[in-house]
Amino acid sequence: MIDELIKKIREDKENRDRFETIFIERQVAARTVLLNEGEIACYIHFIKNGCLRECFNKDGKDITFQFFFEGQPVASIDSVMNNTPSLFSIESIEPTTILSVKKQDFEMLLSTYPELKDKFQSFIFQRFSNYARLFLSRIKDTPQERYEDLVKNQPNIIKRIPQHYIASYLGITPVSLSRIRNRK
Protein backbone atom coordinates (compact mmCIF):
# COMPACT_ATOMS: atom_id res chain seq x y z
CA MET A 1 0.00 0.00 0.00
CA ILE A 2 2.75 2.46 0.88
CA ASP A 3 4.63 1.86 -2.38
CA GLU A 4 1.47 2.59 -4.34
CA LEU A 5 0.86 5.75 -2.34
CA ILE A 6 4.41 7.05 -2.84
CA LYS A 7 4.26 6.28 -6.56
CA LYS A 8 0.96 8.14 -6.86
CA ILE A 9 2.41 11.18 -5.06
CA ARG A 10 5.53 11.25 -7.24
CA GLU A 11 3.46 11.08 -10.43
CA ASP A 12 1.11 13.85 -9.30
CA LYS A 13 2.84 17.06 -10.36
CA GLU A 14 0.09 19.21 -8.84
CA ASN A 15 0.33 17.76 -5.31
CA ARG A 16 3.85 16.32 -5.20
CA ASP A 17 5.50 19.17 -3.30
CA ARG A 18 2.72 19.29 -0.74
CA PHE A 19 2.76 15.56 0.04
CA GLU A 20 6.38 14.46 -0.31
CA THR A 21 7.35 16.15 2.94
CA ILE A 22 4.59 14.72 5.13
CA PHE A 23 6.21 11.30 5.56
CA ILE A 24 8.84 10.87 8.25
CA GLU A 25 11.16 7.97 7.52
CA ARG A 26 12.78 6.38 10.57
CA GLN A 27 14.92 3.38 11.23
CA VAL A 28 14.22 1.92 14.62
CA ALA A 29 16.10 -0.75 16.51
CA ALA A 30 14.46 -3.95 17.70
CA ARG A 31 12.29 -3.49 20.78
CA THR A 32 11.61 0.20 20.09
CA VAL A 33 8.23 1.31 21.39
CA LEU A 34 6.45 3.56 18.87
CA LEU A 35 3.32 3.97 20.97
CA ASN A 36 2.76 3.20 24.64
CA GLU A 37 -0.49 1.82 25.97
CA GLY A 38 -2.46 4.81 27.34
CA GLU A 39 -0.93 7.41 24.99
CA ILE A 40 -2.97 9.12 22.30
CA ALA A 41 -1.78 8.03 18.86
CA CYS A 42 -0.91 10.79 16.42
CA TYR A 43 0.68 8.75 13.62
CA ILE A 44 -0.07 6.01 11.16
CA HIS A 45 3.06 4.00 10.37
CA PHE A 46 3.85 2.11 7.17
CA ILE A 47 6.46 -0.62 7.33
CA LYS A 48 9.10 -0.43 4.60
CA ASN A 49 11.01 -3.35 6.09
CA GLY A 50 10.97 -5.12 9.41
CA CYS A 51 8.23 -6.17 11.77
CA LEU A 52 6.04 -4.53 14.41
CA ARG A 53 3.69 -5.99 16.97
CA GLU A 54 0.70 -4.72 18.91
CA CYS A 55 0.67 -5.77 22.53
CA PHE A 56 -0.59 -4.88 25.97
CA ASN A 57 0.28 -5.62 29.55
CA LYS A 58 -2.15 -7.56 31.72
CA ASP A 59 -1.09 -7.85 35.36
CA GLY A 60 2.59 -7.79 34.42
CA LYS A 61 2.15 -10.28 31.57
CA ASP A 62 3.07 -9.14 28.05
CA ILE A 63 0.37 -10.19 25.55
CA THR A 64 0.87 -9.91 21.78
CA PHE A 65 -2.22 -9.88 19.59
CA GLN A 66 -1.07 -8.80 16.14
CA PHE A 67 2.05 -8.81 13.95
CA PHE A 68 2.69 -6.53 10.98
CA PHE A 69 5.20 -6.88 8.16
CA GLU A 70 6.47 -5.04 5.08
CA GLY A 71 3.95 -2.89 3.25
CA GLN A 72 1.36 -2.86 6.02
CA PRO A 73 0.02 0.19 7.83
CA VAL A 74 0.05 0.10 11.64
CA ALA A 75 -1.72 2.37 14.10
CA SER A 76 -3.95 2.34 17.11
CA ILE A 77 -6.90 3.10 14.86
CA ASP A 78 -9.34 3.81 17.67
CA SER A 79 -6.87 6.17 19.31
CA VAL A 80 -5.98 7.98 16.08
CA MET A 81 -9.56 8.38 14.91
CA ASN A 82 -11.18 9.22 18.24
CA ASN A 83 -8.29 10.99 19.97
CA THR A 84 -8.51 8.54 22.90
CA PRO A 85 -5.79 6.72 24.84
CA SER A 86 -4.51 3.64 23.05
CA LEU A 87 -5.51 0.28 24.49
CA PHE A 88 -2.18 -1.22 23.43
CA SER A 89 1.45 -0.51 22.59
CA ILE A 90 3.18 -0.76 19.22
CA GLU A 91 6.75 -2.11 19.30
CA SER A 92 9.35 -3.19 16.76
CA ILE A 93 10.42 -6.81 16.94
CA GLU A 94 13.42 -6.50 14.65
CA PRO A 95 15.26 -3.52 13.17
CA THR A 96 12.54 -1.79 11.17
CA THR A 97 12.24 1.08 8.71
CA ILE A 98 8.93 2.92 8.90
CA LEU A 99 7.30 5.85 7.19
CA SER A 100 5.10 7.77 9.61
CA VAL A 101 2.39 10.26 8.73
CA LYS A 102 0.28 12.41 11.02
CA LYS A 103 -3.45 11.76 11.16
CA GLN A 104 -4.48 15.05 9.56
CA ASP A 105 -1.96 14.60 6.72
CA PHE A 106 -3.17 11.05 6.12
CA GLU A 107 -6.78 12.25 5.97
CA MET A 108 -5.72 14.88 3.43
CA LEU A 109 -4.03 12.17 1.34
CA LEU A 110 -7.14 9.98 1.40
CA SER A 111 -9.36 12.87 0.34
CA THR A 112 -6.98 13.70 -2.51
CA TYR A 113 -6.65 10.05 -3.62
CA PRO A 114 -10.01 8.37 -2.86
CA GLU A 115 -8.95 5.09 -4.47
CA LEU A 116 -6.40 4.70 -1.66
CA LYS A 117 -9.17 5.22 0.87
CA ASP A 118 -10.83 2.05 -0.44
CA LYS A 119 -7.57 0.10 -0.07
CA PHE A 120 -7.03 1.40 3.44
CA GLN A 121 -10.60 0.54 4.35
CA SER A 122 -10.10 -2.99 2.99
CA PHE A 123 -7.02 -3.31 5.17
CA ILE A 124 -9.01 -2.21 8.24
CA PHE A 125 -11.74 -4.76 7.50
CA GLN A 126 -9.10 -7.48 7.06
CA ARG A 127 -7.57 -6.49 10.38
CA PHE A 128 -10.91 -6.79 12.16
CA SER A 129 -11.43 -10.15 10.50
CA ASN A 130 -8.04 -11.27 11.86
CA TYR A 131 -9.04 -10.14 15.35
CA ALA A 132 -12.32 -12.07 15.12
CA ARG A 133 -10.51 -15.25 13.99
CA LEU A 134 -7.98 -14.89 16.79
CA PHE A 135 -10.75 -14.37 19.34
CA LEU A 136 -12.74 -17.40 18.14
CA SER A 137 -9.61 -19.53 17.97
CA ARG A 138 -8.83 -18.75 21.60
CA ILE A 139 -12.32 -19.96 22.54
CA LYS A 140 -12.72 -23.05 20.39
CA ASP A 141 -9.25 -24.35 19.47
CA THR A 142 -6.67 -26.16 21.54
CA PRO A 143 -3.18 -24.64 21.76
CA GLN A 144 -1.99 -27.41 19.41
CA GLU A 145 -4.66 -26.46 16.85
CA ARG A 146 -3.82 -22.76 17.14
CA TYR A 147 -0.14 -23.51 16.52
CA GLU A 148 -0.89 -25.77 13.53
CA ASP A 149 -3.12 -23.08 12.03
CA LEU A 150 -0.35 -20.52 12.46
CA VAL A 151 2.21 -22.79 10.77
CA LYS A 152 -0.17 -23.46 7.89
CA ASN A 153 -1.62 -19.99 7.33
CA GLN A 154 1.06 -17.57 8.56
CA PRO A 155 4.45 -19.26 8.15
CA ASN A 156 6.23 -15.87 8.05
CA ILE A 157 5.39 -15.48 11.74
CA ILE A 158 7.00 -18.83 12.56
CA LYS A 159 10.11 -17.91 10.55
CA ARG A 160 10.63 -14.36 11.81
CA ILE A 161 9.12 -13.92 15.25
CA PRO A 162 10.85 -14.93 18.51
CA GLN A 163 9.20 -17.88 20.26
CA HIS A 164 8.14 -15.97 23.37
CA TYR A 165 6.08 -13.56 21.21
CA ILE A 166 4.52 -16.46 19.31
CA ALA A 167 3.59 -18.12 22.60
CA SER A 168 2.03 -14.88 23.82
CA TYR A 169 0.12 -14.52 20.54
CA LEU A 170 -1.20 -18.07 20.86
CA GLY A 171 -2.20 -17.51 24.49
CA ILE A 172 0.20 -20.08 25.90
CA THR A 173 3.49 -20.12 27.79
CA PRO A 174 6.84 -20.48 26.01
CA VAL A 175 7.24 -23.88 27.73
CA SER A 176 3.89 -25.06 26.31
CA LEU A 177 4.90 -23.84 22.85
CA SER A 178 8.17 -25.73 23.12
CA ARG A 179 6.27 -28.93 24.00
CA ILE A 180 3.91 -28.46 21.07
CA ARG A 181 6.78 -27.89 18.67
CA ASN A 182 8.64 -30.96 19.96
CA ARG A 183 5.62 -33.19 19.26
CA LYS A 184 6.07 -32.69 15.52
Side-chain angles (χ1 to χ4, degrees):
M1 179 177 187
I2 189 61
D3 292 334
E4 186 177 338
L5 179 57
I6 290 171
K7 181 181 177 195
K8 193 165 269 311
I9 290 169
R10 286 187 178 144
E11 292 172 351
D12 183 357
K13 291 177 176 43
E14 183 180 327
N15 291 305
R16 184 182 323 150
D17 293 339
R18 178 169 64 142
F19 288 140
E20 278 193 326
T21 60
I22 66 172
F23 289 98
I24 302 163
E25 182 168 333
R26 292 192 299 162
Q27 288 153 1
V28 296
R31 301 200 54 135
T32 299
V33 176
L34 300 173
L35 175 69
N36 283 300
E37 187 176 340
E39 292 178 348
I40 296 176
C42 301
Y43 291 95
I44 296 169
H45 308 286
F46 294 88
I47 304 172
K48 284 185 78 174
N49 59 55
C51 178
L52 300 176
R53 73 183 182 116
E54 291 180 340
C55 56
F56 62 93
N57 190 293
K58 174 69 175 161
D59 300 325
K61 185 177 178 184
D62 181 74
I63 299 171
T64 299
F65 64 94
Q66 191 77 41
F67 298 107
F68 297 89
F69 299 96
E70 288 81 5
Q72 294 183 307
V74 182
S76 177
I77 298 299
D78 186 49
S79 179
V80 168
M81 295 301 157
N82 299 314
N83 205 36
T84 57
S86 178
L87 300 174
F88 54 83
S89 297
I90 299 174
E91 179 184 46
S92 60
I93 292 178
E94 59 192 33
T96 302
T97 303
I98 57 172
L99 290 173
S100 301
V101 61
K102 290 182 179 178
K103 172 191 174 182
Q104 59 271 28
D105 291 331
F106 187 67
E107 288 171 347
M108 190 171 50
L109 279 170
L110 293 181
S111 67
T112 304
Y113 306 113
E115 64 278 13
L116 293 175
K117 187 174 190 174
D118 293 340
K119 288 185 185 284
F120 188 69
Q121 205 168 32
S122 292
F123 175 79
I124 297 297
F125 288 137
Q126 181 61 51
R127 188 165 156 186
F128 285 126
S129 174
N130 291 347
Y131 292 148
R133 280 197 313 273
L134 180 63
F135 176 74
L136 290 174
S137 177
R138 291 267 179 101
I139 293 171
K140 67 181 184 76
D141 296 336
T142 66
Q144 178 79 36
E145 290 169 328
R146 290 195 300 267
Y147 178 75
E148 289 170 1
D149 180 67
L150 190 65
V151 169
K152 179 182 173 188
N153 295 311
Q154 298 180 51
N156 58 329
I157 289 176
I158 300 299
K159 292 175 187 166
R160 289 178 65 179
I161 305 297
Q163 296 302 303
H164 63 285
Y165 292 138
I166 293 173
S168 169
Y169 178 73
L170 294 173
I172 59 178
T173 66
V175 172
S176 295
L177 177 59
S178 184
R179 285 189 194 122
I180 290 168
R181 293 180 74 218
N182 287 334
R183 287 184 204 145
K184 293 274 175 189

